[in-house]
Amino acid sequence: MPGLQVPVRLLAHHIETSEARVTETVSDLVGQLVAIRKAKGILQSTVARRMHVTRPAVCHLERGRYSPSLAVLTRYAAAIGARITVEDVQ
């Protein structure tokens, strides 16, 4: 059925585009959290200790070497005395 291939391709493109936006948003959020950490003079080793992880794990998070879960981002924020909030932007 050739007619079904077009919607599937469009859906796949939409998913890829959405994933790119989510990745960009997470990257922006991590960047903001790192900026807060640096502004407060908090070392990566201090964040690591507060999160109960290693300093290299914090470094990997900050450099975007993996896509962190919301739980990890929330723990990072708490470790630097920040909070992640969600707003309805309609």
Side-chain angles (χ1 to χ4, degrees), residues 6 12 17 20 27 32 35 37 43 49-50 64 70 72-73 87:
V6 173
T17 303
S27 179
Q32 290 175 25
R37 175 186 68 76
L43 300 174
R49 189 179 73 253
R50 291 175 182 173
L70 181 57
V72 169
L73 291 172
E87 296 179 9

Side-chain angles (χ1 to χ4, degrees), residues 4-24:
L4 292 177
Q5 291 177 352
V6 173
V8 170
R9 286 187 187 145
L10 290 174
L11 177 61
H13 174 71
H14 175 71
I15 290 170
E16 289 172 12
T17 303
S18 295
E19 287 176 2
R21 275 185 287 203
V22 168
T23 300
E24 190 174 292

